Amino acid sequence: MAGVVSVFPNNKRRLHTTHSWDFMGLAYGQTMESIPVEYFNSTNNQADVIIGFIDTGIWPESPSFGDANMPPVPAGWKGQCQPGEAFNSSTCNRKVIGARYYLNGFEAEEELENNSVSFKSARDSVGHGSHTASTAAGRFVNNVNYKGLGNGKARGAAPMARIAVYKACWKTACYDADILAAFDDAIGDGVHILSLSLGADSPDVDYYNNAISVGSFHAVSHGISVVASVGNDGSMGSASNLAPWMITVGASSTDRDFLSDVILGNGARFSGESLSVMKMNASAQTISASEANGGNFTPDQSRYCLESSLDTTKAKDKVLVCLNNDPTESKLAKGVAVKEAGGVGMIIIDELRTDLAIPFPIPTSVVGKRIGDEILSYLNNNTTSNHTSKIMSAKTVLGSRVAPRVQPFSSKGPNALTPGILKPDVLAPGLNILAAWSPTKENIDYNVVSGTSMACPHVTGTVALIKSMHPSWSPSAIKSAIMTTATTLDKNKKAITAGPDGRKANPFDFGSGFVNPTQALDPGLIYEATTNDYKDFLCSIGYSNITLQMITGDKSTCNNRTFKTPSDLNYPSITVPNLKKSFSVSRILTNVGVAEIVYEAVVVPPIGIKVSVVPLRLVFNRVGQNIKFTVKFDVIAPSKDYVFGSLSWRNKGYSLTTPLVVRTGNSKSGSYMV
């Protein structure tokens, strides 16, 4: 068939479901319509950048998408404002300059009678698409809050950038046929960036049967940066969106929490996460949910506050203490179960400690295991006959905990498809993010949501800032700038932590580190990769001419390709997943900073590995100059796990870092040490 690149199953994808820019170090003035000259030449630079969002659509009337004081639509824009239900061709404006929607793939797989589709148009009935678009490129809006929480000025990183909407996701899913059609239109329309806060339920098994991998390859081949979320599975090796031509983003916390206090009858006071703005006016008797078991449920089952597991006689007018240690169980559903049983409040002991703030239907506070043990100890104290507690309404708290922290739900490496490519690439805020929403959901205009879906647009916005300052930079150059300037330290200058136990995080959690937008604007050096390099990469992992062409859509072959392993790709991280005795990797750096400048190598070797860099000094004489260097890895003391280090190129003005990830040939597959 003419124009057909490849044919593959119409697979199902799911959505990977403002203070954050301040936390990332992007000062107020640096995102304003009047941007300081030291960062940008003119306001028009940002207004010339077009970001495409493949998502659930947009609520165009949101103040975050107003077009006041914006210049005319860029002359090169070829997109359209597709009319549909509650959406006409005049709904777009100088901010939201394009809108399309896609249903064919969805309709081929799912029945429409189940109310899985609302608004057969680009209008957002879910909220997810509006949230991601406003996070990356929303306008300045004063007095934004969620039911009084988090009040302040909402903004994206690039408030003057344009938005183009490609609604390929509906209430239940996004399908590959619709995603690929959205990619095709976005490329033809003339977007500069594509943002996808969605992906598969499990790691990719190949690149050629994957609409996101294929579509993003063609986008990058046309000079379009593609940013995607890593997924919300949270387990080791669960990372998705693994193609090296994409920027894949994991999720972290910020230093803002939404907390609800619990006051016990003995005067002890604790704080836990919640978005419940309701409070108890008086203390109430408090029991473990195991004491309120009902029906055929045992006390051990009822302590998890599952649906219909509680006896209304036992639970009525009481605060119930419920447990949570299963990521598949809904904490919100536990609140519904307690409310239906007549409970007046709930304390959840969350052993997974995901830190998600949730809008519970009754006063609720979610605490971790340590605090939970203290509460249970109080309840088990037989010297007191009547155990009580009072739960206060949620409040906004800044700086109560170290941040950023890698979130437990954020999917992690190693890369299950190509272990020689590190994923995720970077980390960005994805916990309790306040941004625009669809008022069809709960009749609210702004909502607090968590997920790697929310982390993705923070990097999308950063890409827009870089693109506005460096319009000629390639997707790989922009990706390199973001990765090499990322930090592995929290705001207290200590190593970023991960998980409920606060372990030291590693590149499988955060890739190169937490994104630093201002540093990424001027990285000094970049790692460039071309479309031809990505073809070499695909051949290096054993793809045939046929499977290669299923991705490229042209007559490319694997004849006379130069890459022996995936590690040969000029990637901003270096991963050697099967080091026997010795292995060398070459990289090329391009000078995009000061014309005459010298960089020196600083190596932190992985445990048990000798790392040699040649040359140790890079002497640049002009902007645009390329210099090749080689990194040699020698096994000194084989370990049982993955080990991590870093290579930095530094001088007085610049510092860019590449993570080093190594597993020796006799290591246990999948384990790691810090």
Side-chain angles (χ1 to χ4, degrees):
M1 292 180 289
V4 175
V5 173
S6 60
V7 178
F8 49 81
N10 185 30
N11 291 318
K12 188 176 186 176
R13 313 282 165 181
R14 295 192 185 276
L15 299 165
H16 287 160
T17 303
T18 256
H19 173 74
S20 54
W21 289 113
D22 292 327
F23 177 73
M24 293 175 74
L26 197 63
Y28 179 89
Q30 290 166 251
T31 63
M32 288 183 66
E33 280 81 345
S34 55
I35 298 169
V37 296
E38 63 264 30
Y39 286 95
F40 301 96
N41 294 327
S42 72
T43 300
N44 290 333
N45 284 353
Q46 200 179 115
D48 287 339
V49 176
I50 304 167
I51 308 173
F53 294 88
I54 300 179
D55 213 300
T56 65
I58 197 164
W59 194 264
E61 292 82 11
S62 169
S64 291
F65 308 126
D67 66 352
N69 302 316
M70 292 197 70
V73 174
W77 175 243
K78 302 181 183 67
Q80 63 172 263
C81 197
Q82 182 182 0
E85 183 181 355
F87 204 103
N88 55 51
S89 58
S90 63
T91 303
C92 295
N93 57 21
R94 293 189 303 274
K95 178 65 175 178
V96 181
I97 64 173
R100 300 176 185 262
Y101 69 99
Y102 308 85
L103 259 176
N104 290 342
F106 184 92
E107 290 178 326
E109 304 294 337
E110 297 197 21
E111 296 290 335
L112 299 184
E113 289 75 24
N114 62 3
N115 196 32
S116 57
V117 174
S118 292
F119 297 126
K120 289 186 179 181
S121 69
R123 184 170 292 279
D124 183 11
S125 65
V126 177
H128 190 276
S130 301
H131 198 281
T132 56
S134 65
T135 298
R139 302 298 301 277
F140 278 87
V141 184
N142 291 319
N143 300 318
V144 168
N145 61 77
Y146 172 80
K147 298 182 179 180
L149 297 172
N151 190 63
K153 293 180 179 178
R155 71 183 193 272
M160 290 294 281
R162 317 295 182 140
I163 292 172
V165 178
Y166 301 89
K167 183 178 177 179
C169 298
W170 304 83
K171 281 186 176 180
T172 56
C174 330
Y175 282 93
D176 274 2
D178 296 329
I179 294 170
L180 204 55
F183 267 111
D184 190 47
D185 281 339
I187 293 168
D189 288 346
V191 304
H192 302 108
I193 304 160
L194 275 168
S195 186
L196 293 92
S197 290
L198 57 102
D201 287 333
S202 57
D204 310 336
V205 295
D206 57 53
Y207 297 114
Y208 54 83
N209 275 323
N210 185 315
I212 298 177
S213 294
V214 172
S216 61
F217 180 90
H218 286 267
V220 169
S221 298
H222 284 81
I224 301 167
S225 293
V226 180
V227 188
S229 46
V230 74
N232 295 329
D233 182 279
S235 60
M236 186 178 177
S238 63
S240 64
N241 292 325
L242 302 174
W245 45 84
M246 292 190 288
I247 307 174
T248 308
V249 189
S252 78
S253 66
T254 69
D255 63 347
R256 181 175 70 182
D257 291 290
F258 300 110
L259 303 178
S260 177
D261 288 347
V262 177
I263 305 171
L264 301 182
N266 63 2
R269 190 177 189 124
F270 304 104
S271 292
E273 290 81 19
S274 183
L275 282 177
S276 175
V277 295
M278 296 172 286
K279 71 174 182 178
M280 296 170 55
N281 293 321
S283 296
Q285 185 180 355
T286 303
I287 62 172
S288 168
S290 62
E291 298 180 29
N293 65 300
N296 296 322
F297 290 87
T298 66
D300 185 64
Q301 293 171 323
S302 294
R303 65 179 180 157
Y304 295 101
C305 298
L306 304 176
E307 182 181 2
S308 303
S309 68
L310 303 172
D311 184 285
T312 56
T313 302
K314 300 174 183 177
K316 185 175 175 57
D317 296 328
K318 295 182 177 68
V319 173
L320 269 59
V321 178
C322 308
L323 297 186
N324 182 71
N325 62 8
D326 185 345
T328 66
E329 290 181 4
S330 166
K331 297 191 193 73
L332 184 61
K334 295 179 190 290
V336 172
V338 172
K339 182 179 181 180
E340 290 180 347
V344 296
M346 179 176 66
I347 301 169
I348 295 181
I349 301 174
D350 184 13
E351 296 182 358
L352 303 176
R353 196 58 197 254
T354 56
D355 298 339
L356 272 68
I358 297 171
F360 293 99
I362 56 175
T364 300
S365 186
V366 182
V367 301
K369 188 177 185 303
R370 181 185 62 80
I371 293 177
D373 286 344
E374 293 188 47
I375 293 173
L376 291 177
S377 177
Y378 165 70
L379 296 183
N380 294 328
N381 184 352
N382 295 326
T383 61
T384 303
S385 59
N386 184 29
H387 303 97
T388 64
S389 67
K390 182 179 180 181
I391 302 174
M392 309 303 292
S393 60
K395 59 186 177 182
T396 306
V397 179
L398 296 176
S400 65
R401 286 189 289 177
V402 171
R405 305 180 305 280
V406 180
Q407 287 308 292
F409 60 75
S410 185
S411 291
K412 298 167 179 61
N415 185 326
L417 178 55
T418 312
I421 298 295
L422 178 63
K423 290 290 178 172
D425 291 305
V426 287
L427 190 71
L431 179 70
N432 302 331
I433 304 302
L434 176 63
W437 199 245
S438 169
T440 60
K441 301 277 288 185
E442 303 179 57
N443 196 31
I444 55 175
D445 296 320
Y446 289 85
N447 199 8
V448 174
V449 189
S450 298
T452 54
S453 279
M454 287 62 245
C456 172
H458 282 93
V459 176
T460 302
T462 302
V463 172
L465 288 178
I466 298 171
K467 189 71 176 177
S468 63
M469 186 173 183
H470 306 286
S472 65
W473 279 16
S474 68
S476 64
I478 293 172
K479 177 174 182 173
S480 174
I482 291 171
M483 290 177 65
T484 60
T485 58
T487 180
T488 60
L489 302 179
D490 62 28
K491 294 300 181 179
N492 291 338
K493 303 300 180 183
K494 296 182 179 180
I496 292 174
T497 59
D501 57 350
R503 64 172 173 82
K504 181 182 177 183
N506 63 61
F508 288 153
D509 299 301
F510 53 55
S512 293
F514 185 76
V515 172
N516 185 329
T518 55
Q519 291 295 320
L521 296 173
D522 184 19
L525 305 174
I526 55 171
Y527 295 93
E528 278 273 25
T530 65
T531 301
N532 200 51
D533 291 332
Y534 295 131
K535 293 177 183 178
D536 277 0
F537 158 80
L538 291 168
C539 294
S540 77
I541 62 175
Y543 276 25
S544 65
N545 292 342
I546 293 175
T547 50
L548 174 66
Q549 291 167 14
M550 288 174 68
I551 297 173
T552 64
D554 57 22
K555 295 182 180 180
S556 297
T557 70
C558 286
N559 301 334
N560 302 316
R561 293 290 175 182
T562 58
F563 289 5
K564 294 181 179 180
T565 71
S567 299
D568 289 331
L569 182 66
N570 199 37
Y571 209 68
S573 60
I574 298 176
T575 303
V576 184
N578 190 28
L579 178 61
K580 299 296 186 182
K581 293 182 180 180
S582 180
F583 185 77
S584 293
V585 176
S586 293
R587 290 287 187 270
I588 297 174
L589 280 167
T590 301
N591 183 17
V592 294
V594 179
E596 295 184 359
I597 194 167
V598 178
Y599 289 83
E600 295 188 353
V602 178
V603 176
V604 178
I607 296 173
I609 306 296
K610 178 183 177 183
V611 179
S612 306
V613 180
V614 178
L616 284 170
R617 299 174 78 245
L618 303 180
V619 181
F620 291 92
N621 299 310
R622 58 181 173 82
V623 173
Q625 181 181 354
N626 298 326
I627 296 182
K628 181 178 181 179
F629 67 91
T630 300
V631 183
K632 184 182 179 185
F633 300 88
D634 291 289
V635 178
I636 304 300
S639 71
K640 297 180 180 179
D641 312 298
Y642 271 103
V643 288
F644 309 98
S646 64
L647 165 63
S648 299
W649 292 101
R650 297 178 184 172
N651 57 38
K652 291 182 179 180
Y654 295 100
S655 178
L656 57 149
T657 301
T658 293
L660 306 177
V661 180
V662 179
R663 182 178 64 181
T664 55
N666 61 349
S667 298
K668 295 179 181 178
S669 177
S671 57
Y672 59 82
M673 65 186 295
V674 296

